[in-house]
Amino acid sequence: MENSKQMRTWLDDMNLDHPLVIAGPCSAETEEQVLKIAHELKDTDVSYFRAGIWKPRTRPGNFEGVGALGLKWLQKVKEETGMKTCTEVANAAHVKLALEHDIDLLWIGARSTVSPFIMQDIADALEGTDKIVLVKNPVNPDLALWLGGIERLHTAGIKKLGAIHRGFSTYEKTKYRNTPEWQLAIDFQTKFPDLPLINDPSHITGNREMIFDVCQTALDLNFDGLMIETHFDPDNAWSDAAQQVTPTKLVEIMKDLKIRKESGQEEAFKAELGKLRAQIDVIDNQVIDVLGKRMKISDTIGALKKEQNVAVLQSDRWNTILGKMILEGESKGLSEEFVLKMFKAIHQESINHQEKVLKA
Ligand code: PEP
Ligand code: MN
């Protein structure tokens, strides 16, 4: 993976003046459904038409995809619209069938990337292919596992590689279906700046209302493209109904997104600044999130102290925390003055929270 520069070439060769767009339904349902969506996407920015043929469902008993039959429908899409096609493969048999049906781009789903055994089987089946292969992040936020999957494909001689960021599972409920953990995607880019990185706002949000904002963040962070689930009748889709958008909505989203192109010195400067600011925005959100969590714990401590009739302020403990944090801050390049000010403010907020609980 040392020369990830050559990975870019498949994307650069496309000569797009906008981010790469992959769109189409979560699942291929019927031939009519696939072709209708494809025709509606035909004269848009969409270069690759997606449709899941084999569907990994969390619980059994749901629609699990139409199977190999759907590959013929994708071939028709290519013939009738000229769009290239893509689908998810999860084992060697899928790979064989997809290659036989001349699918142009294969992606590996989040539930497959987690398993080095599955990744190795898929890599062996794909050995030497000149098709594009994109690897979704594993469901768990493990950068090494994601990179490991890509490395297995690279070792199998696959040249046209890329990655899809589709967010990560959490036990705790959040506003996302799969939290983006943007920091992890930023670290991914830093490690392999030349490996094309596509964002999948559909599986991150699980909610069509939030798709635009996630797309914009991704473009601000310099992602190379977007994969967006699209259906002419999202509410009645056989899988992932809440997150799909209509082709009309997709065009609107693409039109409204601010795309920062790198051309000329000033543009390059603005693009770099935009990217760094987007990184700061991600971190600021994390800071607020973490502080919120800290205060929730304070509330619980407040309730405990109330039960035991203990005073809010425990100055010994507070001095120990401060001393530790000053040292920790120093090792991260933060001045003692700043750490003191910040922790005094946090401490004050914590006391306010606990007093509220005690007085309740
Ligand atoms: C999909 O793209 O439809 C899919 C199943 O995605 P993921 O592997 O990200 O869950
Ligand atoms: Mn889906």
Side-chain angles (χ1 to χ4, degrees):
M1 292 285 289
E2 57 302 329
N3 57 347
S4 64
K5 205 144 205 111
Q6 69 183 54
M7 313 276 175
R8 274 213 82 78
T9 52
W10 67 265
L11 185 58
D12 292 341
D13 287 349
M14 290 180 70
N15 262 324
L16 297 173
D17 62 355
H18 55 75
L20 175 72
V21 188
I22 302 172
C26 176
S27 304
E29 298 165 5
T30 64
E31 180 171 349
E32 294 69 38
Q33 173 247 15
V34 166
L35 288 170
K36 183 168 156 63
I37 298 169
H39 278 281
E40 289 184 25
L41 291 174
K42 185 178 166 220
D43 295 314
T44 66
D45 284 350
V46 176
S47 309
Y48 282 87
F49 182 83
R50 64 151 281 157
I53 299 293
W54 301 282
K55 297 304 299 176
R57 305 310 298 271
T58 305
R59 309 277 302 265
N62 293 312
F63 171 62
E64 297 202 317
V66 293
L69 173 67
L71 294 170
K72 298 237 180 331
W73 308 340
L74 287 178
Q75 279 185 305
K76 267 205 171 162
V77 166
K78 190 152 46 171
E79 278 161 31
E80 291 187 16
T81 70
M83 274 186 291
K84 296 206 152 69
T85 55
C86 55
T87 198
E88 173 178 348
V89 289
N91 59 40
H94 294 168
V95 169
K96 188 166 177 286
L97 282 163
L99 294 180
E100 278 169 13
H101 287 80
D102 203 27
I103 301 296
D104 303 285
L105 179 159
L106 314 180
W107 82 82
I108 291 151
R111 290 164 197 78
S112 302
T113 315
V114 283
S115 162
F117 290 129
I118 294 178
M119 280 309 297
Q120 193 56 52
D121 271 354
I122 297 176
D124 292 343
L126 279 166
E127 194 163 347
T129 185
D130 65 347
K131 302 290 185 194
I132 299 166
V133 184
L134 304 181
V135 181
K136 286 204 176 196
N137 65 253
V139 284
N140 53 324
D142 185 336
L143 183 57
L145 197 56
W146 193 6
L147 294 174
I150 297 171
E151 278 161 356
R152 284 176 200 278
L153 296 168
H154 184 65
T155 306
I158 295 142
K159 296 274 185 291
K160 297 179 186 166
L161 285 169
I164 303 174
H165 169 233
R166 53 77 82 193
F168 303 90
S169 295
T170 49
Y171 176 57
E172 200 184 340
K173 272 246 151 304
T174 75
K175 66 175 177 171
Y176 299 103
R177 178 177 176 196
N178 293 291
T179 58
E181 305 286 358
W182 292 108
Q183 194 55 51
L184 205 145
I186 293 165
D187 292 346
F188 181 98
Q189 280 178 314
T190 311
K191 271 208 145 74
F192 293 107
D194 295 311
L195 199 64
L197 181 60
I198 315 295
N199 182 259
D200 171 350
S202 309
H203 292 91
I204 288 178
T205 62
N207 170 356
R208 69 180 71 98
E209 302 307 323
M210 291 160 67
I211 288 195
F212 179 85
D213 285 347
V214 168
C215 288
Q216 189 61 65
T217 301
L219 295 188
D220 292 345
L221 290 171
N222 251 2
F223 276 61
D224 299 289
L226 301 165
M227 182 195 249
I228 303 179
E229 287 188 341
T230 313
H231 194 296
F232 57 81
D233 183 9
D235 284 334
N236 290 306
W238 295 3
S239 58
D240 288 353
Q243 70 195 31
Q244 304 203 54
V245 295
T246 60
T248 314
K249 180 71 190 171
L250 177 81
V251 170
E252 236 174 73
I253 290 174
M254 294 315 298
K255 185 169 74 48
D256 293 343
L257 284 171
K258 275 202 218 70
I259 297 163
R260 299 175 216 287
K261 277 185 245 153
E262 289 190 41
S263 62
Q265 248 190 355
E266 199 181 327
E267 283 303 311
F269 161 76
K270 278 194 199 148
E272 185 61 18
L273 191 64
K275 183 175 130 189
L276 293 171
R277 284 186 171 151
Q279 293 186 10
I280 295 242
D281 290 349
V282 167
I283 292 175
D284 283 349
N285 275 314
Q286 289 170 344
V287 170
I288 289 291
D289 194 47
V290 163
L291 287 175
K293 282 187 186 140
R294 191 189 193 284
M295 293 311 154
K296 278 222 166 65
I297 296 178
S298 285
D299 290 340
T300 312
I301 294 182
L304 265 180
K305 285 181 179 167
K306 186 176 181 179
E307 238 177 69
Q308 299 297 318
N309 213 13
V310 175
V312 164
L313 191 63
Q314 309 271 312
S315 46
D316 282 2
R317 165 150 169 84
W318 174 235
N319 287 332
T320 320
I321 295 183
L322 258 189
K324 266 208 265 188
M325 288 303 115
I326 287 170
L327 281 179
E328 195 67 34
E330 227 169 59
S331 74
K332 303 252 158 31
L334 305 174
S335 70
E336 179 173 339
E337 188 197 352
F338 169 70
V339 173
L340 266 176
K341 265 197 204 147
M342 182 181 65
F343 270 93
K344 275 193 181 147
I346 291 176
H347 191 223
Q348 187 56 56
E349 181 70 7
S350 190
I351 289 175
N352 295 349
H353 269 248
Q354 294 193 11
E355 289 205 317
K356 212 165 142 194
V357 174
L358 283 177
K359 283 184 192 137

